[in-house]
Amino acid sequence: MAKKKSGGWLESIKTIVYAALIAIGIRTVAFEPFNIPSGSMIPTLLVGDYLFVSKYSYGYSRHSMPFSPNLFNGRIWGAMPERGDVAVFKLPRDTRQDYIKRIIGLPGDRLQMRGGVLHVNGQAVRLERLGPYVAEGDGPRITVRLLREFLPGGRSHLIIEQSDDAPLDNTPEFTVPEGHVFAMGDNRDNSLDSRVPSAVGMIPWENLVGRAEFIFFSVDGSARIWEVWNWPFAVRWTRLLSAVR
């Protein structure tokens, strides 16, 4: 009986260890879940969104693994992101922090904000005004402007702006060095991103964790953890399984 009991415990431990290794493997090479805690990517991503990031999109670096062990430098099977990708990266000044922004600049690009308009390599990008947008979930509810921004290469995405004269609406020209990318939030007047060199600045290619693919869950924060009866009403059902663009 003692041997049988001991064997049962051993098999249970083995099962747990195998399950943990499989989960770590999937997280390292395939997909990793992330949640959105701030409004810097409104309207593309909302506070309370939960999404999957593909780890294979840009290849693998030490930041692809849990705790970013210093096993090697650079990337294995590396690929540079495309302009317009929404990507998770390790903050250059503190790699314990994960940020998610949109990749706007690639190596060699010159980028500048002038009067709230993005300029890429000296050319202003086209903006289409879509009307008012109510931003909420990250501080007081405010009405801002919703615009569609058209990047060089043909990709477009939504952004919001409160004004054309906020602190980051007029910047010096930045040149993206080799092996780096330049990222910005879609909430242009409320995003700490590459426009702030002392906080984020240029992002080393090695620091990219992966590309945001789709939202698998989303809650608006209106239901507290013990309010089980309100949980269904707090879920943003229309955002479930929606692609990140």
Side-chain angles (χ1 to χ4, degrees), residues 92-162:
R93 61 182 174 85
D94 182 2
T95 56
R96 294 170 299 179
Q97 295 189 51
D98 294 312
Y99 269 36
I100 184 166
K101 307 289 181 186
R102 190 177 297 277
I103 305 300
I104 298 295
L106 301 174
D109 282 342
R110 294 177 291 109
L111 301 123
Q112 185 177 22
M113 294 294 296
R114 299 183 204 163
V117 178
L118 172 66
H119 288 66
V120 180
N121 297 324
Q123 298 295 316
V125 303
R126 183 165 71 89
L127 292 172
E128 179 184 353
R129 299 182 183 276
L130 301 176
Y133 178 90
V134 178
E136 56 186 338
D138 188 31
R141 176 186 293 192
I142 57 172
T143 300
V144 295
R145 291 175 295 155
L146 179 68
L147 306 100
R148 180 170 292 278
E149 183 176 74
F150 295 83
L151 296 176
R155 294 179 68 174
S156 69
H157 57 273
L158 299 176
I159 64 171
I160 58 172
E161 281 210 298
Q162 293 176 253

Side-chain angles (χ1 to χ4, degrees), residues 27-34 45 51-61 63-65 75 79-82 85-90 98-103 181 203-214 244:
R27 180 188 182 278
T28 300
V29 304
F31 293 95
E32 182 175 355
F34 285 88
L45 298 173
L51 52 88
F52 278 119
V53 168
S54 60
K55 305 296 284 291
Y56 50 81
S57 297
Y58 309 133
Y60 304 99
S61 73
H63 298 301
S64 302
M65 295 174 279
R75 302 194 80 90
M80 189 61 69
E82 295 182 12
D85 283 359
V86 176
V88 171
F89 59 89
K90 295 291 184 180
D98 294 312
Y99 269 36
I100 184 166
K101 307 289 181 186
R102 190 177 297 277
I103 305 300
V181 295
I203 302 151
W205 183 44
E206 183 181 33
N207 284 38
L208 295 176
V209 175
R211 183 179 64 203
E213 299 292 350
F214 65 92
V244 178

Side-chain angles (χ1 to χ4, degrees), residues 156-175:
S156 69
H157 57 273
L158 299 176
I159 64 171
I160 58 172
E161 281 210 298
Q162 293 176 253
S163 76
D164 291 328
D165 198 30
L168 295 178
D169 279 333
N170 293 281
T171 70
E173 186 176 77
F174 302 99
T175 300

Side-chain angles (χ1 to χ4, degrees), residues 3-22:
K3 285 185 179 180
K4 191 172 182 179
K5 188 175 182 180
S6 175
W9 277 107
L10 184 60
E11 288 303 315
S12 297
I13 292 171
K14 282 183 179 180
T15 300
I16 293 170
V17 170
Y18 292 154
L21 291 174
I22 291 170

